[in-house]
Amino acid sequence: MSAFLLPPQVAWADGVLSGGPLIRKSTRMQALAGVFSNQSAWSECDPERVVYDVELFDSPSAEGELYVGVTHLYAGRVGDEFFMTRGHFHQRREQGEVYFGLHGEGLLLLQSEQGEARLEYVFPGSVHIIPGNTAHRLINTGAVTLSALAVWPCAAGHDYASLAGGFALRVVDDDGVVQTKEVQNG
């Protein structure tokens, strides 16, 4: 039998990556200025509170290569809005991405450049194909951490500035019921 390499791994139950060099990034409340609609409630939050962590395999970033990473979005709310990632378009708009739900439950908010928004339910085993030219944001509507594996082209980049006005939909807790609100000029 010839020798073989053991590839990097993901623990499907919780999204823990292993078997390769990792890059880790934490996004704290203070970095999410303007993301939540209730700025008063946001300003009362602990600025050092971690809202989500991202870990990814340290991959070559050349054209044609792929990143593989996991977002761990913690449970919580700011005012009546659930914790969410910042959300972004790709700098290279034509680049798509794939998300795989691993743990917890929530929503994937998708929005076209024309402002048309839709939501997909994220749960363990769900697969989400995010087309090019589509902004995306994870929202944790559950009581535990929402973890999702993502695969995307290294050349895609992130464009947060194009969403400075926010997404066209907000997801809120209305007395224990998950509701959506349309945002004007979102």
Side-chain angles (χ1 to χ4, degrees):
M1 178 185 239
S2 62
F4 57 91
L5 296 174
L6 188 61
Q9 299 116 55
V10 60
W12 292 112
D14 58 13
V16 172
L17 299 177
S18 62
L22 297 175
I23 298 170
R24 290 185 174 92
K25 177 187 167 210
S26 294
T27 300
R28 291 172 164 64
M29 193 64 72
Q30 64 192 358
L32 298 174
V35 170
F36 296 94
S37 62
N38 186 335
Q39 287 301 293
S40 176
W42 173 81
S43 67
E44 293 173 10
C45 293
D46 176 359
E48 292 298 318
R49 181 168 182 185
V50 176
V51 177
Y52 59 98
D53 288 315
V54 175
E55 62 179 7
L56 62 138
F57 290 112
D58 190 5
S59 304
S61 57
E63 184 77 31
E65 300 291 340
L66 296 173
Y67 283 128
V68 175
V70 176
T71 298
H72 301 282
L73 177 57
Y74 303 107
R77 289 189 301 278
V78 174
D80 63 354
E81 277 185 285
F82 294 98
F83 276 10
M84 64 184 110
T85 60
R86 180 177 325 211
H88 61 274
F89 281 103
H90 288 152
Q91 283 176 330
R92 289 184 51 186
R93 291 285 199 273
E94 77 282 2
Q95 301 293 310
E97 189 165 353
V98 179
Y99 279 12
F100 303 90
L102 299 175
H103 182 261
E105 65 179 315
L107 297 167
L108 175 61
L109 174 55
L110 301 165
Q111 182 170 304
S112 71
E113 291 181 295
Q114 294 74 35
E116 298 162 353
R118 72 181 195 279
L119 293 160
E120 293 183 0
Y121 180 49
V122 181
F123 57 93
S126 64
V127 177
H128 308 271
I129 299 171
I130 303 167
N133 304 301
T134 304
H136 40 287
R137 160 182 282 167
L138 278 174
I139 304 164
N140 186 343
T141 59
V144 300
T145 301
L146 172 62
S147 296
L149 177 76
V151 179
W152 70 101
C154 294
H158 294 88
D159 175 6
Y160 299 104
S162 293
L163 288 164
F167 281 75
L169 289 176
R170 295 283 177 174
V171 179
V172 299
D173 181 340
D174 184 8
D175 290 325
V177 177
V178 176
Q179 299 284 342
T180 61
K181 292 182 181 179
E182 287 188 32
V183 176
Q184 298 303 317
N185 302 320

